[in-house]
Amino acid sequence: MSQSMLDSVQPSEADRETAVAALPRVRHYLNTHDHSTVRLTADGFEREDLVVPRSAVRLFERILAYMAAGAGTSIVPTNEELTTQEAANLLNVSRPHLIGLLEAGKIDYRMVGTHRRVNVESLLEYMRRDDHDRRSAADELTQLSQDMGV
């Protein structure tokens, strides 16, 4: 995978405002229509229709939500394999730390010659587990603090 595929798109203020306005309309459409495809129409010199899968519009809805919040977004195919540096960048950790996670069996990878290739699905699953574990630990600390009256 090229590094450009991992670069996020950072919305400008105008992009954010447009996303804020468009998001409710996209959500309303998805909540009130259950077609397997969605027809998009662009008005211009010639009226053009584009038919796309509903799942693509669901993904578009998520992208708009991130943009409306001012957050950058990236799209990475789940069957991709990443270099260790690309995977470390996505986790926001050092490459040596990532290699430790790989060697501990926490994230699936394979060797290509002398290089490791990290499975994106496994990386995303690790991120979900790690997020869940962090939330659980924070909840436990909050409960302990309340029990101690701190």
Side-chain angles (χ1 to χ4, degrees):
M1 170 185 284
S2 69
Q3 183 61 38
S4 64
M5 287 186 74
L6 291 177
D7 292 341
S8 64
V9 174
Q10 298 296 329
S12 67
E13 185 58 28
D15 292 338
R16 192 190 72 71
E17 290 172 6
T18 302
V20 165
L23 184 58
R25 295 183 66 200
V26 172
R27 284 184 173 156
H28 175 75
Y29 180 88
L30 289 170
N31 289 332
T32 58
H33 297 79
D34 62 355
H35 309 296
S36 62
T37 59
V38 176
R39 181 176 306 276
L40 306 173
T41 303
D43 287 327
F45 177 68
E46 290 184 27
R47 186 180 170 113
E48 294 183 43
D49 288 347
L50 175 65
V51 177
V52 298
R54 180 183 182 83
S55 57
V57 178
R58 281 272 179 218
L59 183 58
F60 178 60
E61 173 195 20
R62 294 184 71 187
I63 292 168
L64 283 175
Y66 285 120
M67 291 181 81
T73 57
S74 297
I75 297 177
V76 179
T78 56
N79 64 345
E80 275 300 323
E81 290 184 324
L82 306 176
T83 66
T84 53
Q85 188 60 61
E86 290 169 335
N89 291 347
L90 278 177
L91 284 178
N92 200 27
V93 299
S94 69
R95 195 175 141 295
H97 179 74
L98 174 79
I99 290 170
L101 294 172
L102 298 176
E103 292 177 352
K106 295 185 178 187
I107 302 170
D108 294 337
Y109 72 100
R110 71 181 182 104
M111 295 297 292
V112 177
T114 59
H115 301 281
R116 294 173 185 87
R117 292 295 179 255
V118 180
N119 177 283
V120 169
E121 270 188 278
S122 181
L123 183 69
L124 294 173
E125 179 56 33
Y126 170 80
M127 292 170 76
R128 282 188 286 272
R129 280 191 321 266
D130 187 56
D131 186 49
H132 177 267
D133 293 348
R134 288 173 192 264
R135 288 175 194 257
S136 294
D139 291 345
E140 187 176 327
L141 284 173
T142 300
Q143 186 60 46
L144 284 171
S145 296
Q146 289 174 353
D147 291 347
M148 295 174 66
V150 178

mmCIF file of all heavy atoms in Angstrom, residues 10-53:
data_model
loop_
_atom_site.group_PDB
_atom_site.id
_atom_site.type_symbol
_atom_site.label_atom_id
_atom_site.label_comp_id
_atom_site.label_asym_id
_atom_site.label_seq_id
_atom_site.Cartn_x
_atom_site.Cartn_y
_atom_site.Cartn_z
ATOM 1 N N GLN A 10 -7.876 16.279 5.555
ATOM 2 C CA GLN A 10 -8.223 17.219 6.616
ATOM 3 C C GLN A 10 -9.221 18.232 6.055
ATOM 4 O O GLN A 10 -8.916 18.924 5.095
ATOM 5 C CB GLN A 10 -6.966 17.950 7.114
ATOM 6 C CG GLN A 10 -5.928 17.041 7.727
ATOM 7 C CD GLN A 10 -6.422 16.347 8.977
ATOM 8 O OE1 GLN A 10 -7.236 16.872 9.718
ATOM 9 N NE2 GLN A 10 -5.947 15.143 9.209
ATOM 10 N N PRO A 11 -10.411 18.302 6.645
ATOM 11 C CA PRO A 11 -11.416 19.215 6.099
ATOM 12 C C PRO A 11 -11.107 20.678 6.418
ATOM 13 O O PRO A 11 -10.643 20.992 7.513
ATOM 14 C CB PRO A 11 -12.703 18.775 6.802
ATOM 15 C CG PRO A 11 -12.243 18.164 8.085
ATOM 16 C CD PRO A 11 -10.902 17.533 7.785
ATOM 17 N N SER A 12 -11.354 21.526 5.444
ATOM 18 C CA SER A 12 -11.258 22.967 5.682
ATOM 19 C C SER A 12 -12.507 23.394 6.450
ATOM 20 O O SER A 12 -13.445 22.610 6.628
ATOM 21 C CB SER A 12 -11.195 23.716 4.348
ATOM 22 O OG SER A 12 -12.429 23.568 3.661
ATOM 23 N N GLU A 13 -12.551 24.637 6.871
ATOM 24 C CA GLU A 13 -13.743 25.128 7.573
ATOM 25 C C GLU A 13 -14.960 25.084 6.654
ATOM 26 O O GLU A 13 -16.057 24.730 7.080
ATOM 27 C CB GLU A 13 -13.504 26.555 8.095
ATOM 28 C CG GLU A 13 -14.644 27.093 8.928
ATOM 29 C CD GLU A 13 -14.990 26.255 10.163
ATOM 30 O OE1 GLU A 13 -14.108 25.569 10.717
ATOM 31 O OE2 GLU A 13 -16.177 26.264 10.575
ATOM 32 N N ALA A 14 -14.768 25.405 5.379
ATOM 33 C CA ALA A 14 -15.882 25.338 4.417
ATOM 34 C C ALA A 14 -16.348 23.891 4.245
ATOM 35 O O ALA A 14 -17.553 23.630 4.172
ATOM 36 C CB ALA A 14 -15.462 25.927 3.075
ATOM 37 N N ASP A 15 -15.405 22.948 4.197
ATOM 38 C CA ASP A 15 -15.763 21.529 4.103
ATOM 39 C C ASP A 15 -16.569 21.110 5.332
ATOM 40 O O ASP A 15 -17.565 20.385 5.226
ATOM 41 C CB ASP A 15 -14.518 20.641 4.021
ATOM 42 C CG ASP A 15 -13.747 20.802 2.731
ATOM 43 O OD1 ASP A 15 -14.322 21.261 1.730
ATOM 44 O OD2 ASP A 15 -12.542 20.454 2.733
ATOM 45 N N ARG A 16 -16.129 21.548 6.499
ATOM 46 C CA ARG A 16 -16.807 21.196 7.743
ATOM 47 C C ARG A 16 -18.247 21.715 7.730
ATOM 48 O O ARG A 16 -19.187 21.002 8.047
ATOM 49 C CB ARG A 16 -16.053 21.744 8.948
ATOM 50 C CG ARG A 16 -16.546 21.154 10.273
ATOM 51 C CD ARG A 16 -15.962 21.869 11.473
ATOM 52 N NE ARG A 16 -16.518 23.199 11.649
ATOM 53 C CZ ARG A 16 -17.762 23.463 12.054
ATOM 54 N NH1 ARG A 16 -18.598 22.483 12.324
ATOM 55 N NH2 ARG A 16 -18.194 24.695 12.180
ATOM 56 N N GLU A 17 -18.423 22.973 7.324
ATOM 57 C CA GLU A 17 -19.760 23.565 7.278
ATOM 58 C C GLU A 17 -20.661 22.837 6.281
ATOM 59 O O GLU A 17 -21.836 22.596 6.554
ATOM 60 C CB GLU A 17 -19.665 25.050 6.936
ATOM 61 C CG GLU A 17 -19.061 25.879 8.052
ATOM 62 C CD GLU A 17 -18.775 27.318 7.648
ATOM 63 O OE1 GLU A 17 -19.142 27.716 6.520
ATOM 64 O OE2 GLU A 17 -18.163 28.040 8.459
ATOM 65 N N THR A 18 -20.115 22.476 5.132
ATOM 66 C CA THR A 18 -20.882 21.736 4.131
ATOM 67 C C THR A 18 -21.275 20.364 4.672
ATOM 68 O O THR A 18 -22.413 19.910 4.488
ATOM 69 C CB THR A 18 -20.073 21.596 2.825
ATOM 70 O OG1 THR A 18 -19.746 22.899 2.343
ATOM 71 C CG2 THR A 18 -20.861 20.839 1.765
ATOM 72 N N ALA A 19 -20.351 19.703 5.346
ATOM 73 C CA ALA A 19 -20.633 18.386 5.930
ATOM 74 C C ALA A 19 -21.707 18.487 7.010
ATOM 75 O O ALA A 19 -22.598 17.633 7.094
ATOM 76 C CB ALA A 19 -19.354 17.769 6.498
ATOM 77 N N VAL A 20 -21.645 19.535 7.845
ATOM 78 C CA VAL A 20 -22.659 19.740 8.892
ATOM 79 C C VAL A 20 -24.038 19.868 8.255
ATOM 80 O O VAL A 20 -25.021 19.307 8.751
ATOM 81 C CB VAL A 20 -22.322 20.981 9.749
ATOM 82 C CG1 VAL A 20 -23.504 21.425 10.585
ATOM 83 C CG2 VAL A 20 -21.107 20.700 10.638
ATOM 84 N N ALA A 21 -24.128 20.589 7.134
ATOM 85 C CA ALA A 21 -25.416 20.785 6.461
ATOM 86 C C ALA A 21 -25.891 19.513 5.757
ATOM 87 O O ALA A 21 -27.087 19.207 5.755
ATOM 88 C CB ALA A 21 -25.314 21.930 5.456
ATOM 89 N N ALA A 22 -24.981 18.759 5.183
ATOM 90 C CA ALA A 22 -25.359 17.582 4.396
ATOM 91 C C ALA A 22 -25.665 16.355 5.254
ATOM 92 O O ALA A 22 -26.517 15.538 4.889
ATOM 93 C CB ALA A 22 -24.241 17.241 3.416
ATOM 94 N N LEU A 23 -25.010 16.220 6.384
ATOM 95 C CA LEU A 23 -25.133 15.013 7.194
ATOM 96 C C LEU A 23 -26.571 14.669 7.590
ATOM 97 O O LEU A 23 -26.996 13.520 7.412
ATOM 98 C CB LEU A 23 -24.229 15.111 8.425
ATOM 99 C CG LEU A 23 -24.171 13.880 9.323
ATOM 100 C CD1 LEU A 23 -23.696 12.657 8.550
ATOM 101 C CD2 LEU A 23 -23.236 14.160 10.506
ATOM 102 N N PRO A 24 -27.361 15.618 8.079
ATOM 103 C CA PRO A 24 -28.749 15.253 8.443
ATOM 104 C C PRO A 24 -29.562 14.763 7.250
ATOM 105 O O PRO A 24 -30.397 13.867 7.387
ATOM 106 C CB PRO A 24 -29.332 16.555 9.003
ATOM 107 C CG PRO A 24 -28.169 17.404 9.349
ATOM 108 C CD PRO A 24 -27.050 16.991 8.440
ATOM 109 N N ARG A 25 -29.320 15.337 6.087
ATOM 110 C CA ARG A 25 -30.068 14.925 4.898
ATOM 111 C C ARG A 25 -29.701 13.505 4.479
ATOM 112 O O ARG A 25 -30.569 12.706 4.120
ATOM 113 C CB ARG A 25 -29.822 15.899 3.751
ATOM 114 C CG ARG A 25 -30.379 17.295 4.060
ATOM 115 C CD ARG A 25 -30.215 18.242 2.917
ATOM 116 N NE ARG A 25 -31.045 17.790 1.796
ATOM 117 C CZ ARG A 25 -30.849 18.163 0.548
ATOM 118 N NH1 ARG A 25 -29.889 19.004 0.256
ATOM 119 N NH2 ARG A 25 -31.629 17.722 -0.410
ATOM 120 N N VAL A 26 -28.412 13.183 4.553
ATOM 121 C CA VAL A 26 -27.967 11.825 4.197
ATOM 122 C C VAL A 26 -28.532 10.828 5.204
ATOM 123 O O VAL A 26 -29.055 9.772 4.828
ATOM 124 C CB VAL A 26 -26.427 11.749 4.127
ATOM 125 C CG1 VAL A 26 -25.953 10.313 3.967
ATOM 126 C CG2 VAL A 26 -25.906 12.617 2.985
ATOM 127 N N ARG A 27 -28.450 11.164 6.495
ATOM 128 C CA ARG A 27 -28.992 10.271 7.528
ATOM 129 C C ARG A 27 -30.496 10.072 7.363
ATOM 130 O O ARG A 27 -30.993 8.953 7.491
ATOM 131 C CB ARG A 27 -28.687 10.829 8.918
ATOM 132 C CG ARG A 27 -27.248 10.612 9.312
ATOM 133 C CD ARG A 27 -26.985 11.075 10.728
ATOM 134 N NE ARG A 27 -25.628 10.696 11.098
ATOM 135 C CZ ARG A 27 -24.931 11.311 12.034
ATOM 136 N NH1 ARG A 27 -25.457 12.322 12.716
ATOM 137 N NH2 ARG A 27 -23.710 10.911 12.316
ATOM 138 N N HIS A 28 -31.211 11.161 7.076
ATOM 139 C CA HIS A 28 -32.659 11.061 6.878
ATOM 140 C C HIS A 28 -32.966 10.122 5.717
ATOM 141 O O HIS A 28 -33.846 9.267 5.805
ATOM 142 C CB HIS A 28 -33.277 12.447 6.635
ATOM 143 C CG HIS A 28 -34.734 12.390 6.321
ATOM 144 N ND1 HIS A 28 -35.691 12.143 7.272
ATOM 145 C CD2 HIS A 28 -35.388 12.523 5.137
ATOM 146 C CE1 HIS A 28 -36.877 12.124 6.700
ATOM 147 N NE2 HIS A 28 -36.726 12.363 5.398
ATOM 148 N N TYR A 29 -32.249 10.301 4.627
ATOM 149 C CA TYR A 29 -32.480 9.436 3.464
ATOM 150 C C TYR A 29 -32.254 7.972 3.828
ATOM 151 O O TYR A 29 -33.077 7.107 3.528
ATOM 152 C CB TYR A 29 -31.576 9.829 2.289
ATOM 153 C CG TYR A 29 -31.809 8.939 1.102
ATOM 154 C CD1 TYR A 29 -32.785 9.248 0.168
ATOM 155 C CD2 TYR A 29 -31.099 7.750 0.947
ATOM 156 C CE1 TYR A 29 -33.052 8.414 -0.910
ATOM 157 C CE2 TYR A 29 -31.359 6.901 -0.119
ATOM 158 C CZ TYR A 29 -32.330 7.230 -1.033
ATOM 159 O OH TYR A 29 -32.596 6.387 -2.078
ATOM 160 N N LEU A 30 -31.137 7.670 4.473
ATOM 161 C CA LEU A 30 -30.829 6.287 4.823
ATOM 162 C C LEU A 30 -31.839 5.699 5.802
ATOM 163 O O LEU A 30 -32.143 4.504 5.741
ATOM 164 C CB LEU A 30 -29.409 6.189 5.392
ATOM 165 C CG LEU A 30 -28.290 6.404 4.370
ATOM 166 C CD1 LEU A 30 -26.948 6.537 5.074
ATOM 167 C CD2 LEU A 30 -28.260 5.281 3.343
ATOM 168 N N ASN A 31 -32.380 6.537 6.686
ATOM 169 C CA ASN A 31 -33.356 6.053 7.665
ATOM 170 C C ASN A 31 -34.749 5.866 7.085
ATOM 171 O O ASN A 31 -35.564 5.141 7.649
ATOM 172 C CB ASN A 31 -33.423 6.999 8.865
ATOM 173 C CG ASN A 31 -32.180 6.923 9.714
ATOM 174 O OD1 ASN A 31 -31.508 5.899 9.775
ATOM 175 N ND2 ASN A 31 -31.853 8.024 10.368
ATOM 176 N N THR A 32 -35.035 6.515 5.965
ATOM 177 C CA THR A 32 -36.385 6.444 5.405
ATOM 178 C C THR A 32 -36.465 5.639 4.114
ATOM 179 O O THR A 32 -37.564 5.450 3.581
ATOM 180 C CB THR A 32 -36.952 7.862 5.145
ATOM 181 O OG1 THR A 32 -36.064 8.562 4.255
ATOM 182 C CG2 THR A 32 -37.121 8.624 6.451
ATOM 183 N N HIS A 33 -35.327 5.182 3.611
ATOM 184 C CA HIS A 33 -35.302 4.379 2.390
ATOM 185 C C HIS A 33 -34.469 3.129 2.649
ATOM 186 O O HIS A 33 -33.428 3.209 3.301
ATOM 187 C CB HIS A 33 -34.689 5.166 1.222
ATOM 188 C CG HIS A 33 -35.470 6.379 0.853
ATOM 189 N ND1 HIS A 33 -35.408 7.552 1.558
ATOM 190 C CD2 HIS A 33 -36.339 6.606 -0.158
ATOM 191 C CE1 HIS A 33 -36.201 8.454 0.998
ATOM 192 N NE2 HIS A 33 -36.783 7.893 -0.040
ATOM 193 N N ASP A 34 -34.924 2.006 2.115
ATOM 194 C CA ASP A 34 -34.161 0.781 2.354
ATOM 195 C C ASP A 34 -33.728 0.096 1.053
ATOM 196 O O ASP A 34 -33.540 -1.103 1.009
ATOM 197 C CB ASP A 34 -34.943 -0.180 3.243
ATOM 198 C CG ASP A 34 -36.253 -0.637 2.606
ATOM 199 O OD1 ASP A 34 -36.602 -0.140 1.523
ATOM 200 O OD2 ASP A 34 -36.908 -1.500 3.209
ATOM 201 N N HIS A 35 -33.551 0.846 0.014
ATOM 202 C CA HIS A 35 -33.108 0.299 -1.264
ATOM 203 C C HIS A 35 -31.665 -0.197 -1.148
ATOM 204 O O HIS A 35 -30.878 0.327 -0.367
ATOM 205 C CB HIS A 35 -33.184 1.357 -2.367
ATOM 206 C CG HIS A 35 -34.513 2.045 -2.448
ATOM 207 N ND1 HIS A 35 -35.669 1.380 -2.772
ATOM 208 C CD2 HIS A 35 -34.862 3.327 -2.232
ATOM 209 C CE1 HIS A 35 -36.680 2.234 -2.756
ATOM 210 N NE2 HIS A 35 -36.220 3.425 -2.430
ATOM 211 N N SER A 36 -31.313 -1.194 -1.958
ATOM 212 C CA SER A 36 -29.938 -1.703 -1.934
ATOM 213 C C SER A 36 -28.983 -0.798 -2.697
ATOM 214 O O SER A 36 -27.776 -0.905 -2.550
ATOM 215 C CB SER A 36 -29.881 -3.118 -2.505
ATOM 216 O OG SER A 36 -30.288 -3.108 -3.865
ATOM 217 N N THR A 37 -29.552 0.091 -3.517
ATOM 218 C CA THR A 37 -28.734 1.071 -4.225
ATOM 219 C C THR A 37 -29.323 2.459 -4.000
ATOM 220 O O THR A 37 -30.484 2.605 -3.632
ATOM 221 C CB THR A 37 -28.680 0.791 -5.745
ATOM 222 O OG1 THR A 37 -30.002 0.828 -6.275
ATOM 223 C CG2 THR A 37 -28.038 -0.552 -6.038
ATOM 224 N N VAL A 38 -28.498 3.470 -4.230
ATOM 225 C CA VAL A 38 -28.921 4.855 -4.063
ATOM 226 C C VAL A 38 -28.586 5.591 -5.346
ATOM 227 O O VAL A 38 -27.481 5.476 -5.882
ATOM 228 C CB VAL A 38 -28.202 5.515 -2.861
ATOM 229 C CG1 VAL A 38 -28.575 6.982 -2.737
ATOM 230 C CG2 VAL A 38 -28.507 4.759 -1.574
ATOM 231 N N ARG A 39 -29.556 6.349 -5.839
ATOM 232 C CA ARG A 39 -29.345 7.129 -7.061
ATOM 233 C C ARG A 39 -29.005 8.563 -6.659
ATOM 234 O O ARG A 39 -29.783 9.240 -6.000
ATOM 235 C CB ARG A 39 -30.599 7.115 -7.932
ATOM 236 C CG ARG A 39 -30.447 7.884 -9.248
ATOM 237 C CD ARG A 39 -31.682 7.748 -10.113
ATOM 238 N NE ARG A 39 -32.062 6.368 -10.348
ATOM 239 C CZ ARG A 39 -31.534 5.593 -11.302
ATOM 240 N NH1 ARG A 39 -30.615 6.073 -12.098
ATOM 241 N NH2 ARG A 39 -31.949 4.352 -11.455
ATOM 242 N N LEU A 40 -27.823 8.985 -7.057
ATOM 243 C CA LEU A 40 -27.380 10.353 -6.798
ATOM 244 C C LEU A 40 -27.543 11.142 -8.084
ATOM 245 O O LEU A 40 -27.221 10.657 -9.159
ATOM 246 C CB LEU A 40 -25.907 10.367 -6.373
ATOM 247 C CG LEU A 40 -25.534 9.472 -5.193
ATOM 248 C CD1 LEU A 40 -24.024 9.457 -4.995
ATOM 249 C CD2 LEU A 40 -26.231 9.939 -3.937
ATOM 250 N N THR A 41 -28.041 12.359 -7.962
ATOM 251 C CA THR A 41 -28.278 13.189 -9.134
ATOM 252 C C THR A 41 -27.505 14.491 -8.992
ATOM 253 O O THR A 41 -27.552 15.135 -7.952
ATOM 254 C CB THR A 41 -29.783 13.505 -9.278
ATOM 255 O OG1 THR A 41 -30.491 12.266 -9.345
ATOM 256 C CG2 THR A 41 -30.057 14.320 -10.518
ATOM 257 N N ALA A 42 -26.794 14.841 -10.050
ATOM 258 C CA ALA A 42 -26.052 16.097 -10.072
ATOM 259 C C ALA A 42 -26.676 17.002 -11.117
ATOM 260 O O ALA A 42 -26.880 16.596 -12.262
ATOM 261 C CB ALA A 42 -24.589 15.836 -10.413
ATOM 262 N N ASP A 43 -27.014 18.207 -10.725
ATOM 263 C CA ASP A 43 -27.536 19.180 -11.666
ATOM 264 C C ASP A 43 -26.371 20.013 -12.183
ATOM 265 O O ASP A 43 -25.530 20.457 -11.424
ATOM 266 C CB ASP A 43 -28.563 20.104 -10.998
ATOM 267 C CG ASP A 43 -29.870 19.393 -10.726
ATOM 268 O OD1 ASP A 43 -30.230 18.507 -11.524
ATOM 269 O OD2 ASP A 43 -30.518 19.712 -9.714
ATOM 270 N N GLY A 44 -26.336 20.191 -13.425
ATOM 271 C CA GLY A 44 -25.282 20.966 -14.053
ATOM 272 C C GLY A 44 -25.679 21.225 -15.480
ATOM 273 O O GLY A 44 -26.864 21.354 -15.798
ATOM 274 N N PHE A 45 -24.707 21.287 -16.363
ATOM 275 C CA PHE A 45 -24.997 21.490 -17.779
ATOM 276 C C PHE A 45 -25.943 20.391 -18.256
ATOM 277 O O PHE A 45 -26.925 20.645 -18.935
ATOM 278 C CB PHE A 45 -23.697 21.482 -18.588
ATOM 279 C CG PHE A 45 -23.910 21.615 -20.059
ATOM 280 C CD1 PHE A 45 -24.379 22.800 -20.605
ATOM 281 C CD2 PHE A 45 -23.654 20.560 -20.905
ATOM 282 C CE1 PHE A 45 -24.594 22.924 -21.964
ATOM 283 C CE2 PHE A 45 -23.862 20.665 -22.269
ATOM 284 C CZ PHE A 45 -24.326 21.858 -22.799
ATOM 285 N N GLU A 46 -25.619 19.157 -17.886
ATOM 286 C CA GLU A 46 -26.508 18.033 -18.172
ATOM 287 C C GLU A 46 -26.806 17.347 -16.845
ATOM 288 O O GLU A 46 -25.937 17.192 -16.006
ATOM 289 C CB GLU A 46 -25.833 17.032 -19.107
ATOM 290 C CG GLU A 46 -25.650 17.535 -20.510
ATOM 291 C CD GLU A 46 -25.058 16.448 -21.398
ATOM 292 O OE1 GLU A 46 -25.269 15.262 -21.111
ATOM 293 O OE2 GLU A 46 -24.393 16.814 -22.364
ATOM 294 N N ARG A 47 -28.034 16.958 -16.661
ATOM 295 C CA ARG A 47 -28.414 16.233 -15.439
ATOM 296 C C ARG A 47 -27.868 14.809 -15.546
ATOM 297 O O ARG A 47 -28.126 14.118 -16.524
ATOM 298 C CB ARG A 47 -29.922 16.226 -15.302
ATOM 299 C CG ARG A 47 -30.402 15.632 -14.027
ATOM 300 C CD ARG A 47 -31.926 15.684 -14.006
ATOM 301 N NE ARG A 47 -32.408 14.912 -12.907
ATOM 302 C CZ ARG A 47 -33.031 15.418 -11.855
ATOM 303 N NH1 ARG A 47 -33.271 16.708 -11.814
ATOM 304 N NH2 ARG A 47 -33.434 14.658 -10.884
ATOM 305 N N GLU A 48 -27.096 14.404 -14.545
ATOM 306 C CA GLU A 48 -26.503 13.074 -14.564
ATOM 307 C C GLU A 48 -26.889 12.306 -13.307
ATOM 308 O O GLU A 48 -26.914 12.859 -12.220
ATOM 309 C CB GLU A 48 -24.980 13.171 -14.628
ATOM 310 C CG GLU A 48 -24.454 13.764 -15.916
ATOM 311 C CD GLU A 48 -22.949 13.757 -15.947
ATOM 312 O OE1 GLU A 48 -22.350 12.746 -15.560
ATOM 313 O OE2 GLU A 48 -22.380 14.775 -16.352
ATOM 314 N N ASP A 49 -27.193 11.022 -13.486
ATOM 315 C CA ASP A 49 -27.493 10.146 -12.369
ATOM 316 C C ASP A 49 -26.335 9.177 -12.177
ATOM 317 O O ASP A 49 -25.713 8.723 -13.148
ATOM 318 C CB ASP A 49 -28.765 9.337 -12.621
ATOM 319 C CG ASP A 49 -30.021 10.192 -12.534
ATOM 320 O OD1 ASP A 49 -29.928 11.331 -12.046
ATOM 321 O OD2 ASP A 49 -31.086 9.721 -12.956
ATOM 322 N N LEU A 50 -26.086 8.866 -10.927
ATOM 323 C CA LEU A 50 -25.054 7.907 -10.577
ATOM 324 C C LEU A 50 -25.674 6.961 -9.554
ATOM 325 O O LEU A 50 -26.210 7.405 -8.540
ATOM 326 C CB LEU A 50 -23.847 8.633 -9.977
ATOM 327 C CG LEU A 50 -22.713 7.776 -9.437
ATOM 328 C CD1 LEU A 50 -22.048 7.006 -10.582
ATOM 329 C CD2 LEU A 50 -21.698 8.657 -8.742
ATOM 330 N N VAL A 51 -25.639 5.663 -9.833
ATOM 331 C CA VAL A 51 -26.191 4.673 -8.920
ATOM 332 C C VAL A 51 -25.033 4.038 -8.167
ATOM 333 O O VAL A 51 -24.073 3.559 -8.770
ATOM 334 C CB VAL A 51 -27.005 3.597 -9.682
ATOM 335 C CG1 VAL A 51 -27.522 2.534 -8.730
ATOM 336 C CG2 VAL A 51 -28.153 4.259 -10.438
ATOM 337 N N VAL A 52 -25.119 4.070 -6.824
ATOM 338 C CA VAL A 52 -24.057 3.518 -5.976
ATOM 339 C C VAL A 52 -24.670 2.562 -4.953
ATOM 340 O O VAL A 52 -25.854 2.662 -4.622
ATOM 341 C CB VAL A 52 -23.273 4.634 -5.251
ATOM 342 C CG1 VAL A 52 -22.566 5.550 -6.247
ATOM 343 C CG2 VAL A 52 -24.169 5.447 -4.339
ATOM 344 N N PRO A 53 -23.866 1.634 -4.429
ATOM 345 C CA PRO A 53 -24.380 0.728 -3.405
ATOM 346 C C PRO A 53 -24.727 1.484 -2.119
ATOM 347 O O PRO A 53 -24.065 2.469 -1.767
ATOM 348 C CB PRO A 53 -23.216 -0.233 -3.142
ATOM 349 C CG PRO A 53 -22.247 -0.019 -4.237
ATOM 350 C CD PRO A 53 -22.491 1.346 -4.796
#
